[in-house]
Structures are given as structure tokens and as C-alpha cells.
Amino acid sequence: MKQRKNLNFPPNITNIKHNTNVSKPSKNNKFTHPLLKKVFTLCLCFRFINALLVQTYFNPDEHWQALEVAHKITFGYGHLTWEWEKGIRSYLHPVIFAVLYKVLAFFHLDKPWFMIRAPRLLQSTFSATGDIYLFKLSQELFGDHVAKFTLFAQLTNWFMFFCITRTLSNSLETVLTVVSLYYWPCIRTSASKISPGSRKCALALAALACAIRPTSAITWIYIGVLELYIARDKLKFILLEVIPIGTLILGLTFLVDRWIYGTWVLVPLNFLKFNFLSSGGDYYGTHVWHWYFTQGFTVMIFTFLPFSLAGIFKSKQWKLAGLVAWCLAIYSLLGHKEFRFVLPVLPIALMFSGYWLATIGEHDKSNGRGKRSPSTDNRGSGKLQLAVLFLVVSNIPMAFYMSMVHQRGTEDVMNYLSVEANNGKVKSILFLTPCHATPYYSTLHRNLTMRFLDCTPSEEKGVLDESDQFLVDPAGFATEFAKNWSIPSHIVLFDSQEKLLKDFLALHNFQEIKRFFHARFKVDRELQASVAVYALKGQ
């Protein structure tokens, strides 16, 4: 799912001297501002390529809770899911992409290529900002040597490549989390080096993260308690910083929501009621309590895991290690679990991997005088090269495959239909698939009639939604559905249901016109190997 070339860090990572004390940042060896600009340029170029290479479908929220909403705001048509009717989502995140769409429309660039790729390219600029701030955070805590390896870990980790340039609110939350952590005095080794406004900046970014995703409060409760513990001016911190800044940011969020919803909506309260007090998120499935520790986060960090654990114990940076453990533990209390929920702490775990990579060979002393022999340096360099090679070989193929191959059919089918619709060859579309299986108007960008199978949670337990009814009996559901339909010009469906609907499609005069590869193995349903497009004969 991810593609990467070996990065040439200055200096080359395979030729680093090992006599640097990486546990203490060097006061006189800081990266200069011009060099930091070069590192940021590297990150930005890398994330642009990253965004263009991500061509697969991961989570419906990337489209349905961000781009689809932004498209509705900008162009006046698009589908709003039930969450927006219940007021449990804030418009703050979609508004970012609505502004992008406005710019594209102003310059008459709202064509298929730009509509599909521009949002991820915009997100890639945010992602690059997160990369450079992780680099700077690692530099402040451990020095330049570790910072280079932290950046290596960040850019080569398969899940970070797979997810961070997607337009999920979790991706932006992750960036805001990393940037905010850089400014918190309680995270630094020496709070006296922080500028007076640093904590205020950290608070504003933390509040913004919470406004975008209320669950981000889990992170900031932990950091807030740490900051309160070390703060000399505790009352000032709470009364003159936390409350005013939090009120200002959340107040602005409420105004944005008031403007677009058309009425006052307390999104954090509604979100809390649905996801925590009523366990509404469990409607989308539950996992065992230890899932993040044994499967979820383990898959995300992948082969970096042993390096991260070793880095935690060697660095003894318990505050940040505690943040990772805290977030995993609290999210484990919730029944509904997803990989993306704990994305904000993945960069922190990868920073510990960078620490360990930077210290490989440090313990190989040639004698009691602490000097190294040439053979010792060679052994240390050899270990480092093997570790780097292992991480690259294990992550890059995974990154490529997941980003460019696995579950790409639902993206490809909408990209194809957007071009066909732009050429006037599509009049209406019916999606006989599980709900939210493809992008929607934000990719098609034509105000045509489209219909998908609804999966709004029912107030009554045990009542199957349309999507589930279809999966239980595709032929029966389609036959009943067709009694009251306005026949579409195109039908989109997976091959696993297609074979059960051959007679239905033939009866209603549909023929296959296009097929797209989707996946070679199943994830949480039966294998959906391909996506087929059927068109009404004569279209």
C-alpha cells in the first residue's frame, strides 16, 4: 500500500558516527533554519507522491464524513449521512475541503482529475507539517541524530503512508496532536527553553483537535494533567489559559456549526451521548478489549514494534510512552474499535523506533576507556544497516500493496463513472452494494440521481437495514426493490452478489460494460474480488 524510495538523509543514515551521546540534545549542533526548510521540502515532496499513490478504499469516513459534506456545502448537492441529521459531527473539518472546492470551481478546475486528487494533495501538506514537527520534537528531546531516524521511521512505516494523506478527520487530528506536543512545556526536557506563548499555542492546537474529533480529549486529558503537575502557576494555567483558549476555539466551532446547521448544535455533547453514554458506535461492530494491543496497533506499527519497545526502555522517556499506553488503554474500553482511532499516537511510537535505531551499537564498547575500535564501528554499522534493510523490506511492499492494490475497485469504479458522467453517458446510478462502499457525489461531481442501500441505525433492536437485507437475500431484495424503482441507467455491484443477480439483471435488460479488480482476500465480509458496472442496453 505504500511506496517509498530509500531516503538520503544528511548525513547518509548508513554512515553515522556512533560516538554521539543521543540521550542528550546537542546545544551546538541544532539543525539550522535553512536545513529545516530542506527537510520540510523533502517531507512535502514525499507526501505529494504519497497522496498520488494512494488509490485504494480504506474507510467510508474519508469520503462520506469529509468530502461528501464539503461537496454539499460548496455545490449544493451531495449526501449527508444520518450523523449530520443527529448533529454528532462538526462542520469544521469538511469546511476545509469546501474552501478547496470553492477555489477549484473559481478557476474552473472542478474536473474529474482535480476533484479526485486535490483533497488528498491538500491533506498531504498537513501531513508534511506533522512530519517536520515530529522531526523537531525528536530533535528537542533526543538530538539531531535521533531526529533523522525518527523521520526515517515516520516516512517508511506502512500504515502512516497508507493513512496519513487520506481526508479522514483522524489524519488531521494526528497532525495537530504532533504539532501541539512540540509546544507543551511538560513534554520538553527543559521547560525554561520554551517561549512564553508556547503553551498557549499548544492549548489552541489541542482545542482545535478536540473540535474536529471530540475523542481527542483522551490525549489532552493526559497531557493537561502532566502540565498541571509541573506548572508553577496552576490557577493561571486553568483560569487564564485553558478556559479562555478552549472557550474561544470551541466557540468558533459552534458558530461554524450554527451557520451551516442553521440552528445551535452542541456537537461534542451529542457525540458524547451517542458514542459513550449510549454505546451507539457498537452498531458498527465490537472487538475484544485487548484488540488494540494484540491486533490493531500491532498491525499499524508492524515491524517497528520491537524497535519502539526497545527505544522506550532505553530512552526512559516515560511521559510520552505513558501517553501511548494511556490512549490505547482508554480506547480499549470502547466496544467499537478501529485502526484510525489510535493513529495520533503512532508517530510517537515511531519516534521511539528512531531512538533505538540511532543507538544501535552504542553498547558495543571495545574497552573500559569507552573508545571504539574500527571493528566495533563496523559491527555497529552492520547492525544498523541490517535493521534499516529489514524495516524497508518489510514495510515498503506492504505500503505499495495496501495503497495501490487492495480494495481499489470501489475507487476506480467511481473515477470511471465520473469521467463517463462528465461526457454525458450516465443518467442515474443504483449501488447494489453494502452501504457507503464507494465514494459518491464528491467524486462523480454531477447532479445526477444516485441511490445506495441505507444503513442508518434503527431505533428498534434486531431490525435489519437495507444494506443488511440485501446481503442476506440479494435476489429477493432486488426483486422487491425493483417494483417501485425508477430504472437507473447504471448499476454498480460486487461480483459476490453479481452471480446471485444474473437473472435479475438480464430480466431488466442490463449488460456488463466494465469490471474493476478490487481485492484478492476478504477483510470483514466474503471476498469481494471485483466491482462490476452494468448499463441499461441502449445507453
Side-chain angles (χ1 to χ4, degrees):
M1 108 159 169
K2 185 182 215 196
Q3 82 95 47
R4 277 203 70 271
K5 297 179 180 178
N6 289 338
L7 298 177
N8 293 320
F9 297 102
N12 190 295
I13 57 175
T14 59
N15 297 317
I16 297 176
K17 296 180 180 180
H18 291 282
N19 60 354
T20 303
N21 184 358
V22 299
S23 62
K24 295 180 180 180
S26 170
K27 294 181 180 179
N28 300 315
N29 192 32
K30 290 295 181 188
F31 271 60
T32 61
H33 180 67
L35 191 51
L36 279 175
K37 288 176 65 176
K38 290 182 180 180
V39 174
F40 178 70
T41 301
L42 166 69
C43 294
L44 191 60
C45 293
F46 180 86
R47 290 305 177 195
F48 278 163
I49 296 171
N50 185 171
L52 293 173
L53 289 176
V54 173
Q55 301 168 32
T56 54
Y57 198 79
F58 171 41
N59 187 280
D61 283 13
E62 177 183 5
H63 299 284
W64 293 81
Q65 305 298 352
L67 302 184
E68 192 66 19
V69 182
H71 194 277
K72 173 80 170 177
I73 295 170
T74 306
F75 300 104
Y77 63 96
H79 183 85
L80 298 184
T81 61
W82 64 271
E83 291 98 329
W84 299 93
E85 296 177 5
K86 298 286 187 181
I88 65 173
R89 297 274 185 178
S90 173
Y91 278 99
L92 189 61
H93 182 241
V95 159
I96 296 171
F97 299 102
V99 172
L100 172 65
Y101 284 152
K102 281 286 188 185
V103 172
L104 292 179
F106 180 80
F107 289 103
H108 305 289
L109 294 175
D110 53 328
K111 301 293 188 280
W113 194 95
F114 288 99
M115 293 298 293
I116 292 165
R117 294 170 179 83
R120 283 180 180 165
L121 289 173
L122 175 60
Q123 176 59 38
S124 70
T125 64
F126 301 144
S127 304
T129 302
D131 295 336
I132 190 65
Y133 268 89
L134 183 66
F135 179 91
K136 292 171 66 177
L137 176 63
S138 182
Q139 182 188 20
E140 285 297 329
L141 294 176
F142 305 120
D144 299 339
H145 188 48
V146 173
K148 290 176 285 189
F149 283 98
T150 296
L151 187 61
F152 164 78
Q154 173 82 345
L155 298 184
T156 55
N157 173 258
W158 83 268
F159 193 85
M160 192 59 68
F161 188 98
F162 174 66
C163 192
I164 197 63
T165 60
R166 295 180 184 272
T167 54
L168 293 160
S169 59
N170 311 86
S171 300
L172 185 54
E173 176 196 8
T174 300
V175 172
L176 290 171
T177 298
V178 172
V179 177
S180 181
L181 286 174
Y182 173 78
Y183 289 108
W184 279 100
C186 66
I187 297 301
R188 300 294 192 96
T189 53
S190 176
S192 61
K193 297 179 182 179
I194 305 263
S195 64
S198 179
R199 191 166 69 183
K200 294 182 179 66
C201 180
L203 275 167
L205 291 167
L208 188 58
C210 291
I212 290 172
R213 282 198 64 80
T215 49
S216 190
I218 293 172
T219 298
W220 304 116
I221 287 172
Y222 176 92
I223 297 297
V225 170
L226 281 182
E227 185 64 30
L228 188 63
Y229 179 76
I230 70 162
R232 298 177 183 176
D233 46 355
K234 293 179 171 53
L235 281 178
K236 177 186 175 184
F237 173 57
I238 295 174
L239 298 178
L240 299 182
E241 294 183 21
V242 174
I243 293 177
I245 293 173
T247 301
L248 177 62
I249 298 295
L250 294 178
L252 290 174
T253 305
F254 292 155
L255 289 175
V256 170
D257 290 332
R258 171 66 178 84
W259 169 48
I260 303 178
Y261 272 113
T263 185
W264 289 107
V265 177
L266 299 178
V267 171
L269 180 60
N270 295 337
F271 187 93
L272 178 67
K273 285 180 179 178
F274 180 80
N275 287 287
F276 292 90
L277 302 183
S278 68
S279 299
D282 293 356
Y283 177 81
Y284 295 103
T286 58
H287 298 78
V288 294
W289 69 268
H290 55 75
W291 185 80
Y292 283 119
F293 293 97
T294 57
Q295 297 176 60
F297 196 69
T298 304
V299 168
M300 293 165 65
I301 197 168
F302 202 43
T303 51
F304 283 93
L305 178 60
F307 298 92
S308 292
L309 293 175
I312 288 171
F313 288 103
K314 189 171 182 64
S315 69
K316 296 180 172 55
Q317 179 53 257
W318 303 118
K319 289 183 289 188
L320 281 176
L323 173 61
V324 177
W326 162 265
C327 288
L328 294 180
I330 297 300
Y331 276 109
S332 294
L333 299 177
L334 304 178
H336 180 58
K337 300 175 178 66
E338 295 186 32
F339 295 104
R340 62 193 177 95
F341 291 170
V342 294
L343 182 64
V345 295
L346 180 57
I348 306 306
L350 292 172
M351 182 171 66
F352 287 114
S353 295
Y355 185 93
W356 178 253
L357 288 171
T359 59
I360 286 179
E362 285 293 312
H363 58 281
D364 291 331
K365 301 292 183 180
S366 60
N367 54 47
R369 291 172 296 180
K371 296 182 179 179
R372 298 180 183 280
S373 65
S375 61
T376 301
D377 282 334
N378 290 336
R379 286 198 301 271
S381 177
K383 288 180 181 180
L384 177 61
Q385 290 175 358
L386 284 175
V388 168
L389 179 63
F390 168 70
L391 291 169
V392 168
V393 169
S394 58
N395 279 269
I396 301 311
M398 182 81 155
F400 268 116
Y401 187 80
M402 297 300 291
S403 293
M404 302 182 68
V405 180
H406 181 60
Q407 296 190 150
R408 69 170 296 147
T410 50
E411 294 271 345
D412 288 342
V413 71
M414 287 306 295
N415 297 352
Y416 163 76
L417 288 172
S418 70
V419 175
E420 292 292 286
N422 190 55
N423 294 330
K425 297 180 180 179
V426 179
K427 294 183 176 63
S428 58
I429 307 171
L430 171 63
F431 295 86
L432 290 179
T433 66
C435 70
H436 307 144
T438 69
Y440 212 48
Y441 282 109
S442 59
T443 294
L444 190 77
H445 193 49
R446 282 293 179 274
N447 195 7
L448 306 175
T449 300
M450 294 202 290
R451 174 77 157 84
F452 69 96
L453 304 182
D454 185 57
C455 57
T456 300
S458 174
E459 299 290 339
E460 302 176 35
K461 290 187 177 181
V463 176
L464 296 180
D465 56 45
E466 282 186 346
S467 182
D468 287 335
Q469 291 175 40
F470 172 72
L471 293 176
V472 169
D473 181 14
F477 178 89
T479 300
E480 193 65 29
F481 183 84
K483 291 179 180 179
N484 300 305
W485 73 356
S486 176
I487 193 163
S489 66
H490 292 71
I491 293 179
V492 176
L493 68 168
F494 285 110
D495 64 310
S496 50
Q497 283 79 47
E498 175 194 18
K499 54 192 174 187
L500 301 174
L501 293 172
K502 285 289 188 183
D503 293 340
F504 170 84
L505 293 166
L507 177 65
H508 291 86
N509 213 28
F510 282 91
Q511 63 181 357
E512 179 185 334
I513 60 168
K514 198 74 175 177
R515 184 175 296 272
F516 300 91
F517 165 80
H518 187 59
R520 290 190 174 87
F521 57 90
K522 66 179 182 179
V523 180
D524 55 357
R525 297 187 179 99
E526 73 276 15
L527 174 62
Q528 297 165 335
S530 62
V531 183
V533 181
Y534 279 74
L536 201 59
K537 289 180 181 178
Q539 289 292 317

